[in-house]
Amino acid sequence: MNIGLALGSGSSRGWSHIGVISELAELGITPNIICGTSIGSLVGASYVSNNLAKFEKWARSLTKFATAKFFNLNPSRNGFVHTERLHHFLNQYVANDESVIEDLDKRYAAVATDLETGREVWLMRGSVLEAVWSSISLPGLFPAIKHNDKWLVDGGLVNPVPVSVCRALGAEIVIAVNLNGDIVGKHFQKQQKVIKQDRSVVGKITNVVKEYTTSVFATPKGQDQPPSLFEAIAGSINITQDRITRSRMAGDPPDILLSPRLSHIGLLEFYRAEEAISEGKKCVQRMIPEIKHILKLA
């Protein structure tokens, strides 16, 4: 039986994919078709490249300071992400520059968005790293990636949970992981209370942008201050991906839907891998009866 695993987008919440894959393996379930969008493409690529154990160890070791090193304090016009550091990380923990999708032991695809037409692009051949880069290029944080004369950005804009891609690659059963099922509005409300006290480098970036926007677009005293750039980006992405995911899965539902409870983890809180991975495992455990029933496991 061909089992497909559709790993959804969700930025730092994507570490929960590691827990999902690990717990499925404990049940004896090894998907042979892996499709990912955004952070799902990154974790999926690490998995199909046999680097997941090393990747998980690195993710669990992340601190706030280590996370901040991936961002530039003085951003270029293209984005905040420090691309050289990210490229080194991808080479070490995901796949090397020579790795190509056709040589992988499992079928793999990453989803990106054509910036000009708005169409989704399925990356199923060629460089593994180029496919991942294209799929994770979140507007505002990453620069767009040129691929086959197309400028590509984050696939979460069009297909946050790539169930359709798994089916197109021959999956008879699709297990989908939706990271955005419980997040709209929740993290934004919590973060407004915390962000003022965040003195990490990422927090300082947020505060600088917030101070700039409030000085240019002054708000009278006593009124609520506008959200920071990152808060606005996070909230917008959450809303967009939630609505698109609901629409796409209504027309093409997976056979098994896993929805980790991750509303407490913010867009860039990659240092909270321990919590995300643990919730990924718990999510699978909650669904064991249904998983066994659908896959006809003893």
Side-chain angles (χ1 to χ4, degrees):
M1 178 188 297
N2 287 326
I3 299 176
L5 183 60
L7 301 175
S9 60
S11 197
S12 59
R13 293 180 286 269
W15 293 160
S16 65
H17 289 317
I18 299 171
V20 167
I21 293 170
S22 174
E23 199 62 26
L24 287 174
E26 288 292 321
L27 295 174
I29 300 169
T30 306
N32 54 340
I33 297 171
I34 309 296
C35 299
T37 296
S38 195
I39 192 69
S41 74
L42 190 152
V43 176
S46 179
Y47 175 50
V48 297
S49 300
N50 298 314
N51 288 323
L52 192 63
K54 183 168 62 171
F55 183 93
E56 178 179 353
K57 184 177 180 180
W58 171 85
R60 288 181 182 273
S61 72
L62 268 179
T63 61
K64 284 187 179 183
F65 180 73
T67 300
K69 287 167 64 177
F70 281 94
F71 299 90
N72 292 310
L73 275 173
N74 296 309
S76 69
R77 292 176 298 169
N78 297 323
F80 279 100
V81 170
H82 194 298
T83 54
E84 290 182 7
R85 286 199 183 102
L86 184 60
H87 185 263
H88 175 73
F89 152 73
L90 292 175
N91 263 276
Q92 191 171 1
Y93 296 103
V94 179
N96 59 50
D97 285 322
E98 291 73 37
S99 180
V100 293
I101 295 173
E102 293 90 330
D103 293 340
L104 297 171
D105 294 334
K106 302 177 186 294
R107 299 207 67 180
Y108 172 79
V111 178
T113 304
D114 185 329
L115 190 58
E116 182 177 358
T117 65
R119 295 174 180 169
E120 66 182 278
V121 177
W122 297 356
L123 301 165
M124 301 181 288
R125 291 181 293 276
S127 167
V128 174
L129 284 191
E130 190 169 330
V132 172
W133 265 108
S134 301
S135 186
I136 66 175
S137 294
L138 187 67
L141 296 181
F142 292 80
I145 303 298
K146 192 71 172 289
H147 178 79
N148 291 338
D149 295 324
K150 297 177 181 178
W151 286 105
L152 302 182
V153 293
D154 196 297
L157 299 174
V158 288
N159 195 354
V161 186
V163 174
S164 56
V165 188
C166 282
R167 296 205 189 281
L169 291 185
E172 299 165 86
I173 297 291
V174 176
I175 302 172
V177 186
N178 177 21
L179 304 179
N180 303 308
D182 70 337
I183 58 173
V184 172
K186 293 184 180 180
H187 178 71
F188 177 74
Q189 292 168 1
K190 295 177 184 176
Q191 188 166 343
Q192 290 210 30
K193 298 177 182 178
V194 176
I195 198 70
K196 295 177 182 178
Q197 299 169 347
D198 188 351
R199 300 193 181 279
S200 67
V201 177
V202 174
K204 289 178 180 177
I205 294 174
T206 302
N207 289 334
V208 167
V209 174
K210 194 166 188 175
E211 288 173 12
Y212 173 77
T213 56
T214 53
S215 64
V216 175
F217 305 102
T219 304
K221 288 185 178 181
Q223 292 188 17
D224 290 339
Q225 296 297 314
S228 71
L229 174 63
F230 285 145
E231 289 172 332
I233 290 174
S236 300
I237 291 169
N238 289 345
I239 292 167
T240 300
Q241 294 190 352
D242 177 64
R243 297 300 181 264
I244 294 172
T245 300
R246 291 172 186 267
S247 176
R248 295 292 298 250
M249 288 201 296
D252 188 9
D255 300 279
I256 299 168
L257 177 61
L258 303 175
S259 299
R261 298 165 184 168
L262 301 164
S263 62
H264 59 291
I265 297 179
L267 184 74
L268 301 179
E269 293 177 337
F270 292 99
Y271 50 86
R272 300 179 70 176
E274 191 80 34
E275 299 167 66
I277 293 170
S278 176
E279 174 54 25
K281 292 181 178 182
K282 291 176 183 176
C283 178
V284 174
Q285 292 165 2
R286 291 193 294 267
M287 294 289 289
I288 285 177
E290 183 174 348
I291 292 171
K292 287 187 174 183
H293 172 71
I294 291 175
L295 295 180
K296 296 179 173 58
L297 300 176

